[in-house]
Amino acid sequence: MAGALQRLRELLGEPACWGWARPRLWEAAEEHLGVRLPADYKAFLDVYGPGAFDGFLWMDRPMDGTADEQARLWPLSERPSSGTDRDPFPFRPRAGGLIEWGGEEGGTTYYLLPEEPDPADWRVVVETEEGEWHEVPGPVTEFLLGLVEGTYRLPFLSRYRPGPRIHYLPSPAS
């Protein structure tokens, strides 16, 4: 984990605007979700804050800790099942249900799959805008590093072609 986060910091450089660690807000988020979130995910967002990789994959984090913000970032209302294999994973609040951590403007959504007892072992699940599902190794910073270094050449990532210099652009609200 630390290696992937360090490598991302080397590739991205110093953040344009520091995200600042807010342990109290992460604790409130974890209480809301009923699980500990992966340390690498929190550490990345504590350094870089909400934003997007080259305007492609956005990530958000708690900023004020209100109940409305928690519900927006991590809704606990379970999606209605389609009765098919369209939703092959459970959603929160069911045990082991997916936890959203990022997305793309076109509708692709990135989730954590909290099946393992240690959040550092959670895998990443991606639901594309076309309704396809992909499960890839985690943790989040390893996935992000694979994305920007080109390790992952999954079909849903074909729109993202990192250049020689990648950027993490802070969201306007941060």
Side-chain angles (χ1 to χ4, degrees):
M1 167 188 71
L5 182 58
Q6 181 58 38
R7 178 69 180 134
L8 283 168
R9 287 187 75 172
E10 291 168 8
L11 291 169
L12 295 170
E14 291 301 313
C17 171
W18 284 84
W20 305 112
R22 293 180 175 96
R24 175 186 63 77
L25 297 179
W26 286 120
E27 290 165 9
E30 292 169 336
E31 184 176 322
H32 170 77
L33 290 165
V35 294
R36 280 187 357 256
L37 291 165
D40 73 309
Y41 164 72
K42 295 184 295 186
F44 179 86
L45 287 169
D46 281 347
V47 172
Y48 288 95
F53 281 91
D54 292 329
F56 172 73
L57 187 156
W58 56 262
M59 297 174 69
D60 208 348
R61 58 163 279 172
M63 298 298 286
D64 60 29
T66 64
D68 287 344
E69 179 186 65
Q70 302 286 350
R72 178 183 58 80
L73 292 173
W74 301 290
L76 292 180
S77 59
E78 192 168 339
R79 248 168 51 161
S81 173
S82 63
T84 67
D85 65 351
R86 172 155 164 59
D87 297 335
F89 299 95
F91 284 84
R92 301 239 34 104
R94 288 177 51 198
L98 297 175
I99 300 170
E100 185 175 333
W101 64 267
E104 298 172 24
E105 201 170 290
T108 295
T109 307
Y110 296 77
Y111 299 97
L112 297 166
L113 179 61
E115 289 184 332
E116 305 298 328
D118 184 349
D121 296 330
W122 292 357
R123 292 177 306 284
V124 171
V125 171
V126 182
E127 180 186 17
T128 68
E129 59 194 85
E130 293 84 18
E132 298 169 345
W133 291 89
H134 302 271
E135 186 176 338
V136 294
V140 170
T141 53
E142 289 285 341
F143 174 80
L144 294 172
L145 184 59
L147 174 72
V148 299
E149 289 190 327
T151 305
Y152 295 120
R153 284 291 160 230
L154 301 168
F156 68 90
L157 292 173
S158 64
R159 292 183 305 271
Y160 180 65
R161 296 281 184 234
R165 175 83 172 107
I166 60 167
H167 301 90
Y168 186 79
L169 310 168
S171 70
S174 61

